[in-house]
Amino acid sequence: MNENTIAFIGAGNMARAVIAALVKQGYPTANIIATNPTTPKLAALAADFGIEVTTDNIKAVKLADVIVLCVKPQIMAEVCQALLVGAPEIHEKLFVTVAAGLPVAHYQRWLGNEVRLVRAMPNTPAQVGLGVTGLFPHRLSNYEKSFVDQLFTGCGLTCWLQQESQINDIIAVTGSAPAYFFYFMQAIEQTAQQLGFAPAEARAMVAQTALGAATLASQSELSFAELREQVTSKGGTTHQAIETFREGQLEALVEKAMKAAIARAEEMAKTL
């Protein structure tokens, strides 16, 4: 990976996840800067990864080749406009944003029509290097696209999108999906406790089973349906459980939930 200087504006969990992955890959810590309005998160990043930290956004972006915007969508306009006023030259730099719900057109208003930008949508498992990041490029060179891909590869799988509208789709498929799995795991855990297993024991068993199933699926060439069938003997206990899910129309409910997530993302884009 080319050793560009990268400035992270905002030092929340997602910035930390990407920084941790970069450092683990051997990216020079001297080429990573993080900013935040308060110091506790910055102190932790400096202590854990040896990167440069500052509360001065303008100082950071002036030094950077690539600017990663990790602030909340509600304050993104204010942050971008302040950056452009304090450092007008940044309109020539590459921007990456991890904020949900803000289309490219917004950044063109805040940073200029010629802004080179990637909308990135990582999910929370990126914090352990097992995430999925959806990426939509706007006016990028092949080199810049390759650099951004490597920027997020350490966080897990990357998926480049052909249309900006697919950002909302990938939110439903991967961005929100960890919560779907946690919800299902929570339901199994609660039932396990009702059956008499201790809370810690129930949690450990459910987490390990989920990890095992996901690992098996990722390493197998079989479809999810075929893997399920391998566990489901006709007329057996698993078959009865699966039939109960079908009677409750689980697949239709999942489809409804995911489409509701997409609709909400579209609504948010109109209000931000």
PDB file of all heavy atoms in Angstrom, residues 57-94:
ATOM      1  N   ASN A  57      -8.575  19.862  13.549  1.00  0.00           N
ATOM      2  CA  ASN A  57      -8.932  19.261  12.260  1.00  0.00           C
ATOM      3  C   ASN A  57      -8.153  19.872  11.099  1.00  0.00           C
ATOM      4  O   ASN A  57      -7.738  19.172  10.166  1.00  0.00           O
ATOM      5  CB  ASN A  57     -10.427  19.426  11.985  1.00  0.00           C
ATOM      6  CG  ASN A  57     -11.289  18.531  12.853  1.00  0.00           C
ATOM      7  OD1 ASN A  57     -10.786  17.643  13.536  1.00  0.00           O
ATOM      8  ND2 ASN A  57     -12.588  18.758  12.820  1.00  0.00           N
ATOM      9  N   ILE A  58      -7.977  21.185  11.140  1.00  0.00           N
ATOM     10  CA  ILE A  58      -7.316  21.880  10.042  1.00  0.00           C
ATOM     11  C   ILE A  58      -5.862  21.432   9.921  1.00  0.00           C
ATOM     12  O   ILE A  58      -5.366  21.160   8.814  1.00  0.00           O
ATOM     13  CB  ILE A  58      -7.399  23.410  10.217  1.00  0.00           C
ATOM     14  CG1 ILE A  58      -8.861  23.854  10.344  1.00  0.00           C
ATOM     15  CG2 ILE A  58      -6.718  24.112   9.047  1.00  0.00           C
ATOM     16  CD1 ILE A  58      -9.744  23.463   9.181  1.00  0.00           C
ATOM     17  N   LYS A  59      -5.181  21.330  11.031  1.00  0.00           N
ATOM     18  CA  LYS A  59      -3.804  20.857  11.024  1.00  0.00           C
ATOM     19  C   LYS A  59      -3.720  19.468  10.397  1.00  0.00           C
ATOM     20  O   LYS A  59      -2.845  19.191   9.565  1.00  0.00           O
ATOM     21  CB  LYS A  59      -3.263  20.812  12.459  1.00  0.00           C
ATOM     22  CG  LYS A  59      -1.889  20.172  12.578  1.00  0.00           C
ATOM     23  CD  LYS A  59      -1.478  20.041  14.037  1.00  0.00           C
ATOM     24  CE  LYS A  59      -0.153  19.291  14.176  1.00  0.00           C
ATOM     25  NZ  LYS A  59       0.234  19.098  15.594  1.00  0.00           N
ATOM     26  N   ALA A  60      -4.641  18.599  10.764  1.00  0.00           N
ATOM     27  CA  ALA A  60      -4.616  17.222  10.281  1.00  0.00           C
ATOM     28  C   ALA A  60      -4.838  17.143   8.780  1.00  0.00           C
ATOM     29  O   ALA A  60      -4.102  16.454   8.068  1.00  0.00           O
ATOM     30  CB  ALA A  60      -5.670  16.394  11.013  1.00  0.00           C
ATOM     31  N   VAL A  61      -5.849  17.865   8.274  1.00  0.00           N
ATOM     32  CA  VAL A  61      -6.153  17.740   6.841  1.00  0.00           C
ATOM     33  C   VAL A  61      -5.089  18.393   5.970  1.00  0.00           C
ATOM     34  O   VAL A  61      -4.879  17.979   4.828  1.00  0.00           O
ATOM     35  CB  VAL A  61      -7.557  18.311   6.508  1.00  0.00           C
ATOM     36  CG1 VAL A  61      -8.637  17.535   7.248  1.00  0.00           C
ATOM     37  CG2 VAL A  61      -7.653  19.797   6.796  1.00  0.00           C
ATOM     38  N   LYS A  62      -4.405  19.396   6.485  1.00  0.00           N
ATOM     39  CA  LYS A  62      -3.325  20.011   5.713  1.00  0.00           C
ATOM     40  C   LYS A  62      -2.166  19.041   5.510  1.00  0.00           C
ATOM     41  O   LYS A  62      -1.480  19.078   4.488  1.00  0.00           O
ATOM     42  CB  LYS A  62      -2.831  21.281   6.414  1.00  0.00           C
ATOM     43  CG  LYS A  62      -3.772  22.467   6.259  1.00  0.00           C
ATOM     44  CD  LYS A  62      -3.187  23.729   6.896  1.00  0.00           C
ATOM     45  CE  LYS A  62      -4.066  24.945   6.627  1.00  0.00           C
ATOM     46  NZ  LYS A  62      -3.508  26.194   7.199  1.00  0.00           N
ATOM     47  N   LEU A  63      -1.959  18.165   6.472  1.00  0.00           N
ATOM     48  CA  LEU A  63      -0.877  17.185   6.391  1.00  0.00           C
ATOM     49  C   LEU A  63      -1.266  15.958   5.580  1.00  0.00           C
ATOM     50  O   LEU A  63      -0.399  15.200   5.126  1.00  0.00           O
ATOM     51  CB  LEU A  63      -0.468  16.735   7.795  1.00  0.00           C
ATOM     52  CG  LEU A  63       0.176  17.788   8.699  1.00  0.00           C
ATOM     53  CD1 LEU A  63       0.330  17.239  10.112  1.00  0.00           C
ATOM     54  CD2 LEU A  63       1.537  18.208   8.136  1.00  0.00           C
ATOM     55  N   ALA A  64      -2.557  15.750   5.381  1.00  0.00           N
ATOM     56  CA  ALA A  64      -3.049  14.488   4.828  1.00  0.00           C
ATOM     57  C   ALA A  64      -3.126  14.469   3.309  1.00  0.00           C
ATOM     58  O   ALA A  64      -3.312  15.506   2.661  1.00  0.00           O
ATOM     59  CB  ALA A  64      -4.426  14.181   5.402  1.00  0.00           C
ATOM     60  N   ASP A  65      -2.994  13.258   2.763  1.00  0.00           N
ATOM     61  CA  ASP A  65      -3.285  13.000   1.357  1.00  0.00           C
ATOM     62  C   ASP A  65      -4.706  12.453   1.202  1.00  0.00           C
ATOM     63  O   ASP A  65      -5.362  12.685   0.198  1.00  0.00           O
ATOM     64  CB  ASP A  65      -2.294  11.974   0.789  1.00  0.00           C
ATOM     65  CG  ASP A  65      -0.854  12.420   0.935  1.00  0.00           C
ATOM     66  OD1 ASP A  65      -0.503  13.454   0.337  1.00  0.00           O
ATOM     67  OD2 ASP A  65      -0.090  11.744   1.651  1.00  0.00           O
ATOM     68  N   VAL A  66      -5.136  11.709   2.211  1.00  0.00           N
ATOM     69  CA  VAL A  66      -6.463  11.089   2.225  1.00  0.00           C
ATOM     70  C   VAL A  66      -7.158  11.482   3.516  1.00  0.00           C
ATOM     71  O   VAL A  66      -6.567  11.378   4.605  1.00  0.00           O
ATOM     72  CB  VAL A  66      -6.361   9.552   2.122  1.00  0.00           C
ATOM     73  CG1 VAL A  66      -7.753   8.911   2.147  1.00  0.00           C
ATOM     74  CG2 VAL A  66      -5.605   9.151   0.867  1.00  0.00           C
ATOM     75  N   ILE A  67      -8.408  11.924   3.411  1.00  0.00           N
ATOM     76  CA  ILE A  67      -9.162  12.383   4.579  1.00  0.00           C
ATOM     77  C   ILE A  67     -10.364  11.467   4.773  1.00  0.00           C
ATOM     78  O   ILE A  67     -11.222  11.346   3.889  1.00  0.00           O
ATOM     79  CB  ILE A  67      -9.633  13.839   4.379  1.00  0.00           C
ATOM     80  CG1 ILE A  67      -8.418  14.758   4.180  1.00  0.00           C
ATOM     81  CG2 ILE A  67     -10.474  14.304   5.571  1.00  0.00           C
ATOM     82  CD1 ILE A  67      -8.774  16.134   3.651  1.00  0.00           C
ATOM     83  N   VAL A  68     -10.408  10.804   5.924  1.00  0.00           N
ATOM     84  CA  VAL A  68     -11.501   9.873   6.233  1.00  0.00           C
ATOM     85  C   VAL A  68     -12.441  10.557   7.216  1.00  0.00           C
ATOM     86  O   VAL A  68     -12.053  10.857   8.356  1.00  0.00           O
ATOM     87  CB  VAL A  68     -10.962   8.555   6.818  1.00  0.00           C
ATOM     88  CG1 VAL A  68     -12.111   7.553   7.013  1.00  0.00           C
ATOM     89  CG2 VAL A  68      -9.893   7.949   5.907  1.00  0.00           C
ATOM     90  N   LEU A  69     -13.657  10.810   6.784  1.00  0.00           N
ATOM     91  CA  LEU A  69     -14.645  11.520   7.593  1.00  0.00           C
ATOM     92  C   LEU A  69     -15.432  10.515   8.426  1.00  0.00           C
ATOM     93  O   LEU A  69     -16.212   9.725   7.890  1.00  0.00           O
ATOM     94  CB  LEU A  69     -15.577  12.318   6.687  1.00  0.00           C
ATOM     95  CG  LEU A  69     -14.885  13.371   5.796  1.00  0.00           C
ATOM     96  CD1 LEU A  69     -15.848  13.903   4.750  1.00  0.00           C
ATOM     97  CD2 LEU A  69     -14.329  14.507   6.659  1.00  0.00           C
ATOM     98  N   CYS A  70     -15.235  10.556   9.742  1.00  0.00           N
ATOM     99  CA  CYS A  70     -15.859   9.587  10.647  1.00  0.00           C
ATOM    100  C   CYS A  70     -16.732  10.281  11.691  1.00  0.00           C
ATOM    101  O   CYS A  70     -16.809   9.842  12.843  1.00  0.00           O
ATOM    102  CB  CYS A  70     -14.793   8.766  11.358  1.00  0.00           C
ATOM    103  SG  CYS A  70     -13.700   7.834  10.264  1.00  0.00           S
ATOM    104  N   VAL A  71     -17.366  11.372  11.298  1.00  0.00           N
ATOM    105  CA  VAL A  71     -18.225  12.096  12.241  1.00  0.00           C
ATOM    106  C   VAL A  71     -19.683  11.744  11.963  1.00  0.00           C
ATOM    107  O   VAL A  71     -20.018  11.178  10.915  1.00  0.00           O
ATOM    108  CB  VAL A  71     -18.017  13.623  12.144  1.00  0.00           C
ATOM    109  CG1 VAL A  71     -16.566  13.970  12.435  1.00  0.00           C
ATOM    110  CG2 VAL A  71     -18.429  14.155  10.773  1.00  0.00           C
ATOM    111  N   LYS A  72     -20.557  12.098  12.882  1.00  0.00           N
ATOM    112  CA  LYS A  72     -21.973  11.783  12.739  1.00  0.00           C
ATOM    113  C   LYS A  72     -22.576  12.561  11.568  1.00  0.00           C
ATOM    114  O   LYS A  72     -22.189  13.703  11.309  1.00  0.00           O
ATOM    115  CB  LYS A  72     -22.718  12.120  14.030  1.00  0.00           C
ATOM    116  CG  LYS A  72     -22.310  11.241  15.213  1.00  0.00           C
ATOM    117  CD  LYS A  72     -23.059  11.633  16.471  1.00  0.00           C
ATOM    118  CE  LYS A  72     -22.651  10.745  17.642  1.00  0.00           C
ATOM    119  NZ  LYS A  72     -23.345  11.129  18.894  1.00  0.00           N
ATOM    120  N   PRO A  73     -23.537  11.951  10.877  1.00  0.00           N
ATOM    121  CA  PRO A  73     -24.147  12.632   9.716  1.00  0.00           C
ATOM    122  C   PRO A  73     -24.716  14.005  10.059  1.00  0.00           C
ATOM    123  O   PRO A  73     -24.654  14.925   9.242  1.00  0.00           O
ATOM    124  CB  PRO A  73     -25.264  11.663   9.303  1.00  0.00           C
ATOM    125  CG  PRO A  73     -24.811  10.326   9.784  1.00  0.00           C
ATOM    126  CD  PRO A  73     -24.071  10.593  11.059  1.00  0.00           C
ATOM    127  N   GLN A  74     -25.231  14.157  11.275  1.00  0.00           N
ATOM    128  CA  GLN A  74     -25.888  15.409  11.667  1.00  0.00           C
ATOM    129  C   GLN A  74     -24.931  16.592  11.715  1.00  0.00           C
ATOM    130  O   GLN A  74     -25.357  17.742  11.593  1.00  0.00           O
ATOM    131  CB  GLN A  74     -26.570  15.237  13.033  1.00  0.00           C
ATOM    132  CG  GLN A  74     -27.739  14.267  13.031  1.00  0.00           C
ATOM    133  CD  GLN A  74     -27.305  12.818  13.179  1.00  0.00           C
ATOM    134  OE1 GLN A  74     -26.114  12.504  13.176  1.00  0.00           O
ATOM    135  NE2 GLN A  74     -28.264  11.922  13.303  1.00  0.00           N
ATOM    136  N   ILE A  75     -23.642  16.331  11.884  1.00  0.00           N
ATOM    137  CA  ILE A  75     -22.677  17.437  11.960  1.00  0.00           C
ATOM    138  C   ILE A  75     -21.722  17.456  10.768  1.00  0.00           C
ATOM    139  O   ILE A  75     -20.789  18.243  10.736  1.00  0.00           O
ATOM    140  CB  ILE A  75     -21.875  17.402  13.279  1.00  0.00           C
ATOM    141  CG1 ILE A  75     -21.004  16.142  13.355  1.00  0.00           C
ATOM    142  CG2 ILE A  75     -22.807  17.508  14.478  1.00  0.00           C
ATOM    143  CD1 ILE A  75     -20.006  16.181  14.504  1.00  0.00           C
ATOM    144  N   MET A  76     -21.978  16.586   9.788  1.00  0.00           N
ATOM    145  CA  MET A  76     -21.050  16.466   8.658  1.00  0.00           C
ATOM    146  C   MET A  76     -20.939  17.772   7.869  1.00  0.00           C
ATOM    147  O   MET A  76     -19.837  18.179   7.477  1.00  0.00           O
ATOM    148  CB  MET A  76     -21.479  15.334   7.735  1.00  0.00           C
ATOM    149  CG  MET A  76     -20.506  15.067   6.593  1.00  0.00           C
ATOM    150  SD  MET A  76     -18.869  14.485   7.153  1.00  0.00           S
ATOM    151  CE  MET A  76     -19.269  12.767   7.535  1.00  0.00           C
ATOM    152  N   ALA A  77     -22.062  18.436   7.618  1.00  0.00           N
ATOM    153  CA  ALA A  77     -22.026  19.685   6.848  1.00  0.00           C
ATOM    154  C   ALA A  77     -21.154  20.715   7.547  1.00  0.00           C
ATOM    155  O   ALA A  77     -20.295  21.359   6.916  1.00  0.00           O
ATOM    156  CB  ALA A  77     -23.444  20.221   6.658  1.00  0.00           C
ATOM    157  N   GLU A  78     -21.347  20.862   8.839  1.00  0.00           N
ATOM    158  CA  GLU A  78     -20.573  21.837   9.616  1.00  0.00           C
ATOM    159  C   GLU A  78     -19.081  21.513   9.567  1.00  0.00           C
ATOM    160  O   GLU A  78     -18.241  22.400   9.371  1.00  0.00           O
ATOM    161  CB  GLU A  78     -21.066  21.833  11.059  1.00  0.00           C
ATOM    162  CG  GLU A  78     -20.296  22.732  11.997  1.00  0.00           C
ATOM    163  CD  GLU A  78     -20.745  22.589  13.448  1.00  0.00           C
ATOM    164  OE1 GLU A  78     -21.781  21.934  13.700  1.00  0.00           O
ATOM    165  OE2 GLU A  78     -20.056  23.136  14.330  1.00  0.00           O
ATOM    166  N   VAL A  79     -18.754  20.237   9.727  1.00  0.00           N
ATOM    167  CA  VAL A  79     -17.353  19.824   9.732  1.00  0.00           C
ATOM    168  C   VAL A  79     -16.703  20.067   8.363  1.00  0.00           C
ATOM    169  O   VAL A  79     -15.616  20.637   8.264  1.00  0.00           O
ATOM    170  CB  VAL A  79     -17.231  18.339  10.131  1.00  0.00           C
ATOM    171  CG1 VAL A  79     -15.811  17.816   9.876  1.00  0.00           C
ATOM    172  CG2 VAL A  79     -17.600  18.156  11.597  1.00  0.00           C
ATOM    173  N   CYS A  80     -17.381  19.652   7.296  1.00  0.00           N
ATOM    174  CA  CYS A  80     -16.820  19.807   5.948  1.00  0.00           C
ATOM    175  C   CYS A  80     -16.623  21.271   5.585  1.00  0.00           C
ATOM    176  O   CYS A  80     -15.576  21.655   5.032  1.00  0.00           O
ATOM    177  CB  CYS A  80     -17.727  19.136   4.928  1.00  0.00           C
ATOM    178  SG  CYS A  80     -17.698  17.330   4.971  1.00  0.00           S
ATOM    179  N   GLN A  81     -17.611  22.071   5.881  1.00  0.00           N
ATOM    180  CA  GLN A  81     -17.517  23.486   5.539  1.00  0.00           C
ATOM    181  C   GLN A  81     -16.404  24.176   6.313  1.00  0.00           C
ATOM    182  O   GLN A  81     -15.679  25.020   5.772  1.00  0.00           O
ATOM    183  CB  GLN A  81     -18.871  24.153   5.778  1.00  0.00           C
ATOM    184  CG  GLN A  81     -19.924  23.704   4.770  1.00  0.00           C
ATOM    185  CD  GLN A  81     -21.344  24.042   5.185  1.00  0.00           C
ATOM    186  OE1 GLN A  81     -21.596  24.570   6.273  1.00  0.00           O
ATOM    187  NE2 GLN A  81     -22.298  23.736   4.322  1.00  0.00           N
ATOM    188  N   ALA A  82     -16.229  23.793   7.574  1.00  0.00           N
ATOM    189  CA  ALA A  82     -15.138  24.362   8.371  1.00  0.00           C
ATOM    190  C   ALA A  82     -13.781  23.932   7.821  1.00  0.00           C
ATOM    191  O   ALA A  82     -12.824  24.722   7.790  1.00  0.00           O
ATOM    192  CB  ALA A  82     -15.280  23.930   9.832  1.00  0.00           C
ATOM    193  N   LEU A  83     -13.677  22.698   7.358  1.00  0.00           N
ATOM    194  CA  LEU A  83     -12.421  22.223   6.774  1.00  0.00           C
ATOM    195  C   LEU A  83     -12.070  23.011   5.522  1.00  0.00           C
ATOM    196  O   LEU A  83     -10.921  23.406   5.325  1.00  0.00           O
ATOM    197  CB  LEU A  83     -12.533  20.733   6.429  1.00  0.00           C
ATOM    198  CG  LEU A  83     -12.624  19.733   7.581  1.00  0.00           C
ATOM    199  CD1 LEU A  83     -12.764  18.315   7.036  1.00  0.00           C
ATOM    200  CD2 LEU A  83     -11.417  19.825   8.501  1.00  0.00           C
ATOM    201  N   LEU A  84     -13.055  23.236   4.685  1.00  0.00           N
ATOM    202  CA  LEU A  84     -12.804  23.934   3.427  1.00  0.00           C
ATOM    203  C   LEU A  84     -12.435  25.389   3.657  1.00  0.00           C
ATOM    204  O   LEU A  84     -11.592  25.943   2.946  1.00  0.00           O
ATOM    205  CB  LEU A  84     -14.040  23.836   2.528  1.00  0.00           C
ATOM    206  CG  LEU A  84     -13.835  24.215   1.059  1.00  0.00           C
ATOM    207  CD1 LEU A  84     -12.760  23.357   0.411  1.00  0.00           C
ATOM    208  CD2 LEU A  84     -15.140  24.098   0.285  1.00  0.00           C
ATOM    209  N   VAL A  85     -13.029  26.016   4.663  1.00  0.00           N
ATOM    210  CA  VAL A  85     -12.683  27.402   4.995  1.00  0.00           C
ATOM    211  C   VAL A  85     -11.261  27.470   5.541  1.00  0.00           C
ATOM    212  O   VAL A  85     -10.465  28.333   5.165  1.00  0.00           O
ATOM    213  CB  VAL A  85     -13.685  27.987   6.012  1.00  0.00           C
ATOM    214  CG1 VAL A  85     -13.180  29.326   6.551  1.00  0.00           C
ATOM    215  CG2 VAL A  85     -15.051  28.162   5.371  1.00  0.00           C
ATOM    216  N   GLY A  86     -10.919  26.539   6.427  1.00  0.00           N
ATOM    217  CA  GLY A  86      -9.601  26.568   7.073  1.00  0.00           C
ATOM    218  C   GLY A  86      -8.479  26.071   6.193  1.00  0.00           C
ATOM    219  O   GLY A  86      -7.321  26.451   6.395  1.00  0.00           O
ATOM    220  N   ALA A  87      -8.801  25.217   5.233  1.00  0.00           N
ATOM    221  CA  ALA A  87      -7.774  24.651   4.352  1.00  0.00           C
ATOM    222  C   ALA A  87      -8.363  24.476   2.956  1.00  0.00           C
ATOM    223  O   ALA A  87      -8.708  23.370   2.539  1.00  0.00           O
ATOM    224  CB  ALA A  87      -7.282  23.313   4.902  1.00  0.00           C
ATOM    225  N   PRO A  88      -8.490  25.563   2.187  1.00  0.00           N
ATOM    226  CA  PRO A  88      -9.137  25.507   0.865  1.00  0.00           C
ATOM    227  C   PRO A  88      -8.498  24.496  -0.082  1.00  0.00           C
ATOM    228  O   PRO A  88      -9.173  23.983  -0.983  1.00  0.00           O
ATOM    229  CB  PRO A  88      -8.981  26.931   0.337  1.00  0.00           C
ATOM    230  CG  PRO A  88      -8.765  27.774   1.551  1.00  0.00           C
ATOM    231  CD  PRO A  88      -8.043  26.917   2.527  1.00  0.00           C
ATOM    232  N   GLU A  89      -7.227  24.196   0.147  1.00  0.00           N
ATOM    233  CA  GLU A  89      -6.523  23.287  -0.765  1.00  0.00           C
ATOM    234  C   GLU A  89      -7.027  21.849  -0.673  1.00  0.00           C
ATOM    235  O   GLU A  89      -6.719  21.016  -1.543  1.00  0.00           O
ATOM    236  CB  GLU A  89      -5.014  23.313  -0.482  1.00  0.00           C
ATOM    237  CG  GLU A  89      -4.582  22.755   0.866  1.00  0.00           C
ATOM    238  CD  GLU A  89      -4.610  23.783   1.999  1.00  0.00           C
ATOM    239  OE1 GLU A  89      -5.299  24.822   1.842  1.00  0.00           O
ATOM    240  OE2 GLU A  89      -3.953  23.541   3.019  1.00  0.00           O
ATOM    241  N   ILE A  90      -7.813  21.532   0.343  1.00  0.00           N
ATOM    242  CA  ILE A  90      -8.233  20.132   0.509  1.00  0.00           C
ATOM    243  C   ILE A  90      -9.211  19.674  -0.559  1.00  0.00           C
ATOM    244  O   ILE A  90      -9.472  18.473  -0.691  1.00  0.00           O
ATOM    245  CB  ILE A  90      -8.850  19.873   1.899  1.00  0.00           C
ATOM    246  CG1 ILE A  90     -10.154  20.654   2.083  1.00  0.00           C
ATOM    247  CG2 ILE A  90      -7.851  20.156   3.010  1.00  0.00           C
ATOM    248  CD1 ILE A  90     -10.946  20.229   3.300  1.00  0.00           C
ATOM    249  N   HIS A  91      -9.748  20.598  -1.345  1.00  0.00           N
ATOM    250  CA  HIS A  91     -10.689  20.175  -2.384  1.00  0.00           C
ATOM    251  C   HIS A  91     -10.001  19.289  -3.420  1.00  0.00           C
ATOM    252  O   HIS A  91     -10.665  18.581  -4.176  1.00  0.00           O
ATOM    253  CB  HIS A  91     -11.326  21.394  -3.073  1.00  0.00           C
ATOM    254  CG  HIS A  91     -10.421  22.100  -4.028  1.00  0.00           C
ATOM    255  ND1 HIS A  91      -9.481  23.015  -3.609  1.00  0.00           N
ATOM    256  CD2 HIS A  91     -10.296  22.014  -5.385  1.00  0.00           C
ATOM    257  CE1 HIS A  91      -8.825  23.465  -4.669  1.00  0.00           C
ATOM    258  NE2 HIS A  91      -9.297  22.887  -5.751  1.00  0.00           N
ATOM    259  N   GLU A  92      -8.660  19.294  -3.425  1.00  0.00           N
ATOM    260  CA  GLU A  92      -7.904  18.469  -4.368  1.00  0.00           C
ATOM    261  C   GLU A  92      -7.554  17.100  -3.781  1.00  0.00           C
ATOM    262  O   GLU A  92      -6.983  16.257  -4.474  1.00  0.00           O
ATOM    263  CB  GLU A  92      -6.620  19.182  -4.763  1.00  0.00           C
ATOM    264  CG  GLU A  92      -6.848  20.509  -5.492  1.00  0.00           C
ATOM    265  CD  GLU A  92      -5.559  21.185  -5.880  1.00  0.00           C
ATOM    266  OE1 GLU A  92      -4.491  20.683  -5.476  1.00  0.00           O
ATOM    267  OE2 GLU A  92      -5.617  22.214  -6.585  1.00  0.00           O
ATOM    268  N   LYS A  93      -7.914  16.858  -2.525  1.00  0.00           N
ATOM    269  CA  LYS A  93      -7.530  15.617  -1.857  1.00  0.00           C
ATOM    270  C   LYS A  93      -8.643  14.568  -1.963  1.00  0.00           C
ATOM    271  O   LYS A  93      -9.778  14.867  -2.326  1.00  0.00           O
ATOM    272  CB  LYS A  93      -7.171  15.897  -0.403  1.00  0.00           C
ATOM    273  CG  LYS A  93      -6.006  16.886  -0.281  1.00  0.00           C
ATOM    274  CD  LYS A  93      -5.520  17.058   1.131  1.00  0.00           C
ATOM    275  CE  LYS A  93      -4.354  18.060   1.172  1.00  0.00           C
ATOM    276  NZ  LYS A  93      -3.724  18.159   2.502  1.00  0.00           N
ATOM    277  N   LEU A  94      -8.294  13.336  -1.639  1.00  0.00           N
ATOM    278  CA  LEU A  94      -9.242  12.233  -1.693  1.00  0.00           C
ATOM    279  C   LEU A  94      -9.975  12.128  -0.357  1.00  0.00           C
ATOM    280  O   LEU A  94      -9.351  12.111   0.710  1.00  0.00           O
ATOM    281  CB  LEU A  94      -8.510  10.920  -1.979  1.00  0.00           C
ATOM    282  CG  LEU A  94      -9.349   9.642  -1.920  1.00  0.00           C
ATOM    283  CD1 LEU A  94     -10.463   9.664  -2.963  1.00  0.00           C
ATOM    284  CD2 LEU A  94      -8.456   8.415  -2.119  1.00  0.00           C
TER     285      LEU A  94
END
